[in-house]
Amino acid sequence: MGYSEMNCPHCGKMNRESCNAHMYGSPIRVCKSCGKKYVDSRYTEPALTGFDRKSTDPSVYAKGAAIFGAGFVITLGWVIFTITTRGSYSIKMAGTSVICLIGLIMCAVMLIRIKSGIADKENQKFLEESENRLADKEYVRELIDNGIDVPEKYR
């Protein structure tokens, strides 16, 4: 869970709200200060746009894990080599090794979430919420009025 921030185009006040990582949800937002509605194009309706590839494609994270894993092995090997040959090591290289390890772990976690079906369950929840919003004809009219393409299925 993260946060999104955007200034209201009507009153200029900052609106901060919690959001999911891929910002699935209604692009029509309501300002907490003035109460007027505006469109935040960073939010997407999964029923209209589908899902972000990063939440469904394990190959994205398999490639990332391979790259970070290779980086970790290379940098850790260099640190070990310099310690054994020089008796010291570069803090930058050690730091890079740690960053690569963190990236490897994060990619592995996401890969496991997708392969195990956890991500699909979350996506299904987002899709159901999206379809429930799109069942409201007034909401669909607002989307259309704000230039968002809505298929005939939901009109």
Side-chain angles (χ1 to χ4, degrees):
M1 185 69 66
Y3 290 94
S4 72
E5 293 181 340
M6 184 168 184
N7 291 332
C8 173
H10 304 290
C11 70
K13 299 284 184 182
M14 176 66 69
N15 283 286
R16 183 175 193 217
E17 53 191 321
S18 62
C19 64
N20 56 69
H22 301 287
M23 296 185 82
Y24 297 139
S26 173
I28 297 175
R29 315 309 289 177
V30 177
C31 177
K32 294 177 183 175
S33 295
C34 70
K36 292 184 180 176
K37 293 182 180 182
Y38 62 93
V39 174
D40 185 343
S41 59
R42 297 173 300 170
Y43 285 87
T44 59
E45 283 288 5
L48 299 179
T49 61
F51 293 104
D52 186 319
R53 183 171 169 239
K54 292 181 296 235
S55 73
T56 59
D57 186 357
S59 70
V60 171
Y61 297 102
K63 290 173 189 170
I67 291 167
F68 281 119
F72 174 68
V73 168
I74 291 166
T75 56
L76 183 63
W78 184 256
V79 168
I80 292 169
F81 172 75
T82 57
I83 287 173
T84 57
T85 59
R86 298 182 192 157
S88 65
Y89 64 93
S90 163
I91 192 73
K92 289 179 185 176
M93 194 58 73
T96 303
S97 183
V98 170
I99 290 169
C100 286
L101 178 60
I102 292 168
L104 172 62
I105 291 168
M106 291 173 69
C107 285
V109 167
M110 290 304 296
L111 185 61
I112 291 166
R113 286 173 46 76
I114 291 171
K115 289 278 194 177
S116 70
I118 294 170
D120 283 340
K121 288 178 186 172
E122 288 177 353
N123 285 345
Q124 188 59 39
K125 180 187 78 131
F126 293 132
L127 182 62
E128 288 171 10
E129 291 171 357
S130 179
E131 288 176 339
N132 287 340
R133 282 189 297 273
L134 291 167
D136 179 354
K137 298 302 177 194
E138 188 176 311
Y139 174 68
V140 170
R141 175 61 37 211
E142 277 186 89
L143 291 173
I144 294 167
D145 291 346
N146 282 287
I148 297 170
D149 187 37
V150 179
E152 285 296 322
K153 171 183 173 179
Y154 298 109
R155 293 179 185 218

